[in-house]
């Protein structure tokens, strides 16, 4: 289990004065601050070279990406827990932010006790997740494919899942979830491994965290911001909107 005093924290904050103050508070609490950035692009390069244990991420950032977009890349590529720092408490911002699966939110301005308690709770959650992480039994991907089905390792056996029954696959940090109408399967492999097993003729990556079955889409929002599959809203990344619209017209 990770001790609080050894945790490495990366600061991604638009206001350098606030960032310096938080960094000083973190140091006093015994944490190691691995860097301070105002741009998401710079933060991603630091994470790749020196991965922290936790990232404190402001939602408003300089540069091309905001904090939510940066956190979504962190989720897909690095699976480092993110705590959002925000002065925006409106529901629309919150709904966008939860798509990046943050471990917590801290509203600005905040007290040192808020920071200390939140970090303590997040570290406890990380420890619990690490203890519960599925053991690798030596199988390469925990999934094998045939023309019309996958065989998924589930509860110590290989379970047949027909491709036509899959609604969508979802990235969940170190795991991947495959959703069908009757069952959700949790696999300890990244989403890209599952995507490689699914036929591109009916499946499409619509977001960093989602691959969907085109034939299962029930509706798509007017501006192609999200689609609906069995009452579940799946976000569509900006770069995927045109391709999604094109593919839907073909089926």
């Amino acid at each position: 289990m990770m001790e609080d005093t050894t945790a490495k924290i990366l600061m991604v904050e638009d206001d350098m004065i606030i960032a310096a103050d938080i960094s000083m508070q973190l140091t006093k609490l015994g944490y190691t601050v691995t860097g301070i950035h105002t741009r998401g692009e710079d933060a991603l390069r630091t994470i790749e070279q020196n991965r922290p244990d936790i990232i404190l991420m402001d939602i408003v950032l300089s540069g091309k990406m905001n904090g939510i977009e940066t956190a979504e890349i962190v989720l897909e590529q690095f699976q480092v827990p993110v705590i959002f720092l925000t002065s925006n408490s409106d529901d629309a911002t919150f709904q966008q932010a939860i798509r990046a699966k943050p471990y917590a939110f801290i509203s600005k301005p905040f007290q040192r006790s808020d920071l200390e308690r939140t970090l303590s709770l997040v570290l406890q959650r990380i420890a619990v997740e690490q203890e519960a992480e599925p053991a690798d039994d030596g199988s390469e991907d925990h999934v094998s494919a045939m023309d019309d089905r996958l065989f998924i390792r589930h509860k110590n056996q290989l379970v047949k899942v027909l491709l036509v029954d899959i609604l969508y696959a979802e990235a969940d940090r170190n795991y991947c979830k495959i959703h069908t109408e009757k069952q959700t399967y949790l696999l300890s492999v990244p989403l890209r491994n599952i995507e490689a097993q699914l036929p591109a003729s009916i499946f499409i990556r619509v977001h960093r965290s989602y691959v969907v079955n085109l034939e299962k889409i029930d509706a798509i929002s007017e501006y192609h911001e999200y689609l609906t599959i069995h009452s579940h809203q799946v976000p569509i990344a900006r770069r995927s909107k045109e391709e999604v619209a094109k593919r839907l017209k073909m089926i």
Side-chain angles (χ1 to χ4, degrees):
M1 178 177 175
M2 185 191 308
E3 296 295 334
D4 287 13
T5 54
T6 62
K8 298 186 297 181
I9 299 178
L10 177 67
M11 284 287 312
V12 191
E13 163 63 54
D14 186 57
D15 189 319
M16 282 301 295
I17 295 176
I18 294 176
D21 179 63
I22 296 174
S23 178
M24 184 170 59
Q25 293 186 50
L26 291 171
T27 301
K28 289 180 179 178
L29 290 170
Y31 296 100
T32 299
V33 178
T34 61
I36 300 175
H37 294 293
T38 61
R39 294 160 45 92
E41 300 90 327
D42 298 334
L44 292 173
R45 284 192 287 271
T46 295
I47 296 165
E48 189 171 8
Q49 296 169 2
N50 182 20
R51 190 164 305 187
D53 299 308
I54 296 173
I55 301 170
L56 291 179
M57 180 85 69
D58 189 4
I59 288 181
V60 178
L61 295 177
S62 304
K64 297 179 180 179
M65 296 185 296
N66 62 29
I68 297 172
E69 292 168 327
T70 305
E72 287 177 332
I73 297 176
V74 170
L75 172 64
E76 180 188 1
Q77 297 185 5
F78 306 109
Q79 295 83 48
V80 177
V82 169
I83 299 173
F84 276 130
L85 305 173
T86 179
S87 55
N88 297 327
S89 57
D90 61 283
D91 186 62
T93 299
F94 177 77
Q95 292 301 324
Q96 291 175 7
I98 60 176
R99 295 175 182 171
K101 296 181 172 64
Y103 272 54
F105 288 82
I106 300 179
S107 296
K108 295 189 286 187
F110 54 85
Q111 302 296 320
R112 175 174 169 175
S113 59
D114 298 328
L115 181 65
E116 184 174 12
R117 291 167 185 166
T118 300
L119 287 170
S120 180
L121 288 171
V122 167
L123 286 168
Q124 288 181 34
R125 177 178 166 184
I126 293 171
V128 170
E129 288 180 350
Q130 289 175 345
E131 290 174 3
E133 186 172 332
D136 189 351
D137 60 3
S139 61
E140 183 178 353
D141 286 334
H142 297 259
V143 59
S144 59
M146 295 177 64
D147 289 343
D148 64 342
R149 69 199 65 188
L150 299 178
F151 284 92
I152 296 173
R153 191 169 298 278
H154 181 66
K155 296 182 178 178
N156 298 318
Q157 59 181 340
L158 288 174
V159 178
K160 178 184 70 176
V161 178
L162 295 176
L163 298 180
V164 296
D165 292 336
I166 296 175
L167 303 176
Y168 59 94
E170 176 187 8
D172 190 0
R173 300 195 179 277
N174 296 320
Y175 307 94
C176 175
K177 293 178 180 177
I178 293 181
H179 298 268
T180 69
E181 292 185 28
K182 298 180 179 180
Q183 178 79 41
T184 296
Y185 301 93
L186 179 64
L187 304 174
S188 56
V189 295
L191 180 59
R192 64 178 178 272
N193 291 43
I194 300 301
E195 183 183 13
Q197 303 278 10
L198 299 173
S201 57
I202 58 173
F203 287 90
I204 182 174
R205 174 80 76 112
V206 299
H207 185 274
R208 296 185 184 99
S209 299
Y210 291 92
V211 173
V212 306
N213 186 337
L214 286 164
E215 297 177 350
K216 297 296 184 179
I217 296 174
D218 296 313
I220 186 168
S221 63
E222 181 179 2
Y223 298 106
H224 298 172
E225 295 174 342
Y226 64 86
L227 54 84
T228 303
I229 299 179
H230 282 246
S231 302
H232 182 88
Q233 287 189 352
V234 175
I236 302 174
R238 284 181 295 185
R239 63 184 179 184
S240 301
K241 290 181 180 181
E242 184 178 346
E243 179 64 19
V244 172
K246 185 187 303 182
R247 294 288 298 276
L248 284 175
K249 290 177 182 178
M250 294 173 60
I251 62 173

